[in-house]
Amino acid sequence: MDTATTTSPDAAALRDFAAALDACHDRVAPGGLVVSRGGWAVASPARVTAGAHVPGSSGALMAEHGGTPAADRRQQAFAEELIGLHRRTLREVLDGAVARLDRRVSEGANLLNRQLVQGAVADVALALSESDDLRELPMSTPWRRWRIHRDLVDAGRTALKLYGAAGFAAGGPGTVLYLTEVLGNTYLRPEQPGSEAGDD
C-alpha cells in the first residue's frame, strides 16, 4: 500500500473521490469497469488491482491498459457520469473557497467583498450553470462533452486562484481537480479532430 494514501493531508478527499469514481463505474457497468476507447481503465485500487498508480493521486487511483473498450452506449453514459463528478468536485472547491474567503479579513474588509474575488466566484458559478445548459441540449455529442470538460477545467483553475498558493500545494483542492482533468482527458477526448456545429 502507498503510505502517502494514509498520511497525506488530502487522503480523505482522495479516498472520497476514488469511491465516487467507482460509483460512476457501477452505475454504468455494475460490478465492472468502463474501459476508454484508448483501452485505459481508471478506478480505485479495489477495482484496478494491476497497473500503475495515477500520478498525483497518492495511490487513491490506479490505471491499467489493454482492456476491451466499452461499447459506444456505455462510453456515452460513463462520459456523462464523469462530467457530473467533475461538476460536483468543482462545486465543492468553489464552496470551500467562498467559505474560506468569508472568514478572512484584510485591511478591515472581508476578502469576499472584493470586486476581483466576486468576479472570479461569478465566473466559476457561470461555468457550472453553462455546463448544465449544455448537458440539457438534445443529442449530446462527444465534442459537446469535450467542450464542457474543457470549460470546467478552466473554471477549476480560476477557482483554485481563490485559495492563493494553498490551492496548488500538496493537500490542497488542486489535487482532486487535477484528477478530474486526467479522467476527462482519458475518457472524453473525441477520437477525431474537428468539431460539430454548435459544439465549439
Side-chain angles (χ1 to χ4, degrees), residues 1-12 14-15 58 171:
M1 173 185 267
D2 185 344
T3 56
T5 303
T6 58
T7 59
S8 66
D10 57 342
L14 287 169
R15 284 195 302 270
S58 297

Side-chain angles (χ1 to χ4, degrees), residues 129-175:
S129 177
E130 287 179 342
S131 72
D132 274 344
D133 292 342
L134 287 170
R135 292 177 77 190
E136 290 174 4
L137 290 173
M139 298 177 63
S140 179
T141 67
W143 279 101
R144 188 177 303 147
R145 291 189 291 270
W146 181 243
R147 175 184 170 181
I148 293 170
H149 167 66
R150 287 187 331 222
D151 289 348
L152 292 176
V153 167
D154 289 343
R157 291 171 182 170
T158 299
L160 287 180
K161 292 176 184 176
L162 295 169
Y163 285 84
F168 301 91
T175 304

Side-chain angles (χ1 to χ4, degrees), residues 76-93:
Q76 293 166 13
F78 194 63
E80 291 295 337
E81 289 286 342
L82 290 182
I83 289 172
L85 177 58
H86 196 160
R87 286 192 74 269
R88 292 191 299 274
T89 302
L90 177 55
R91 179 82 246 183
E92 289 168 4
V93 169

Side-chain angles (χ1 to χ4, degrees), residues 10-136:
D10 57 342
L14 287 169
R15 284 195 302 270
D16 289 347
F17 183 83
L21 176 58
D22 285 354
C24 291
H25 282 286
D26 263 337
R27 284 190 288 273
V28 176
L33 286 169
V34 178
V35 179
S36 75
R37 289 185 176 89
W40 287 96
V42 182
S44 76
R47 293 292 184 93
V48 176
T49 55
H53 293 296
V54 173
S57 73
S58 297
L61 295 183
M62 296 276 288
E64 64 181 1
H65 188 259
T68 301
D72 285 349
R73 189 171 178 180
R74 279 192 171 176
Q75 295 282 355
Q76 293 166 13
F78 194 63
E80 291 295 337
E81 289 286 342
L82 290 182
I83 289 172
L85 177 58
H86 196 160
R87 286 192 74 269
R88 292 191 299 274
T89 302
L90 177 55
R91 179 82 246 183
E92 289 168 4
V93 169
L94 177 61
D95 289 346
V98 169
R100 183 173 183 269
L101 291 167
D102 195 39
R103 295 191 300 267
R104 301 189 69 185
V105 175
S106 176
E107 299 176 356
N110 188 302
L111 288 179
L112 197 55
N113 292 330
R114 292 192 172 179
Q115 186 174 359
L116 286 176
V117 171
Q118 290 180 344
V121 170
D123 286 345
V124 179
L126 180 61
L128 286 165
S129 177
E130 287 179 342
S131 72
D132 274 344
D133 292 342
L134 287 170
R135 292 177 77 190
E136 290 174 4

